[in-house]
Amino acid sequence: MRIVSWNVNGIRSVVGKGFYASLSSLAPDVVFVQETKWTDGPKNVFPEPLPGYQEVHTSSKLRKGYSGTLAYFKEKPLDIHFGLEDGAYDEEGRLITLEYPEVYLIGAYVPNSGEGLKRLSFRMEYEDRLLAYLKKLDEKKPVIYTGDLNVAHERIDLKNPEANVHNAGFTPEERAKMDVLLASGFADTFRRLHPEEVKYSWWSYRFHARENNAGWRIDYFLVSERLLAKVRASEIHDEIFGSDHCPVLLDIDLQ
């Protein structure tokens, strides 16, 4: 199975920037998309799905043009679920779970702690409830968890670690939550396959950051440890443009 995840920073915008062609070139079986910024409503028609795929999406019920996730898939899942176990956080359109016979696939857009860390406490609560959800699913069958996780876990995962220790995405609190998640039976596939490689998945639109490759690795594929031996590739496609993020890809043999 080949899975792609991409934060598009606005689905309408990226569709006009070669989105379908870029995804088609990667030939995925499943795609998770974050930050669609889509608002459902009677006058809003969601963009046509990726040709050859079915599509489901969830959007923020609290603010227009905010958050939102979607999933494209060739093979229909056994079940589709939005939010956490009790639907928590679906009011912000942050999580889609696809259940297949061998695995749960989860695409997430983790809350940003925000300027001045004003949502850090909200983020910490989210992380705790998400971990409980992932562990409960993992007791039933293995999990693949992907998306914009809004944290650079280690110093190697961003260009300027010293300058960002107290900024959203690289605080000790956020990094500690990733520590706990990985210690709970999940593996960061890119870092396990490429322990020393410096590669980023997000760049600010300011200060020519992408041109200078002054980025952050905040888009991940995490898998249950027992799946790690089945991973064939975990890649960051920084040659693909259209958003301030680039797509990340996982190839895994689930047979």
Side-chain angles (χ1 to χ4, degrees), residues 91 105 134 152 210 221:
E91 70 277 2
L105 305 182
L134 294 177
R210 190 154 189 177
F221 274 99

Side-chain angles (χ1 to χ4, degrees), residues 107-174:
Y109 178 39
V110 171
N112 190 301
S113 294
E115 186 176 352
L117 304 179
K118 60 186 177 183
R119 294 197 96 194
L120 181 59
S121 61
F122 175 82
R123 164 75 177 264
M124 296 295 98
E125 175 191 280
Y126 174 94
E127 293 277 9
D128 290 340
R129 295 190 66 179
L130 172 73
L131 177 59
Y133 178 66
L134 294 177
K135 290 169 69 174
K136 189 163 186 176
L137 292 183
D138 191 48
E139 292 174 357
K140 301 174 185 177
K141 64 180 76 172
V143 167
I144 298 173
Y145 172 49
T146 186
D148 176 359
L149 306 193
N150 258 319
V151 60
H153 182 220
E154 302 289 354
R155 293 171 62 86
I156 192 176
D157 294 319
L158 73 167
K159 180 70 171 181
N160 297 304
E162 292 84 0
N164 286 287
V165 170
H166 299 294
N167 289 337
F170 197 60
T171 63
E173 295 91 340
E174 292 162 317

Side-chain angles (χ1 to χ4, degrees), residues 181-238:
L181 176 54
L182 296 178
S184 299
F186 298 94
D188 174 354
T189 58
F190 181 81
R191 190 52 67 213
R192 295 286 283 271
L193 269 62
H194 310 277
E196 303 297 330
E197 185 169 358
V198 175
K199 208 164 188 181
Y200 307 126
S201 65
W202 173 78
W203 303 261
S204 170
Y205 281 131
R206 304 170 66 191
F207 309 121
H208 305 285
R210 190 154 189 177
E211 180 183 334
N212 296 322
N213 199 28
W216 299 47
R217 185 175 75 97
I218 60 175
D219 301 86
Y220 294 77
F221 274 99
L222 307 185
V223 302
S224 300
E225 278 280 358
R226 60 191 184 278
L227 285 181
L228 188 61
K230 297 177 179 289
V231 174
R232 301 292 173 251
S234 184
E235 301 171 353
I236 298 173
H237 283 277
D238 57 2

Side-chain angles (χ1 to χ4, degrees), residues 4 10 14-15 28-29 37 59 82 84-85 96 98 104 131 151 170-171 173-174 179-180 186 208 210 228 242:
V4 167
V14 80
V15 163
D29 298 296
K37 298 185 178 180
S59 58
F82 301 105
L84 301 182
E85 184 178 17
I96 299 176
L98 307 180
Y104 288 105
L131 177 59
V151 60
F170 197 60
T171 63
E173 295 91 340
E174 292 162 317
D179 288 339
V180 172
F186 298 94
H208 305 285
R210 190 154 189 177
L228 188 61

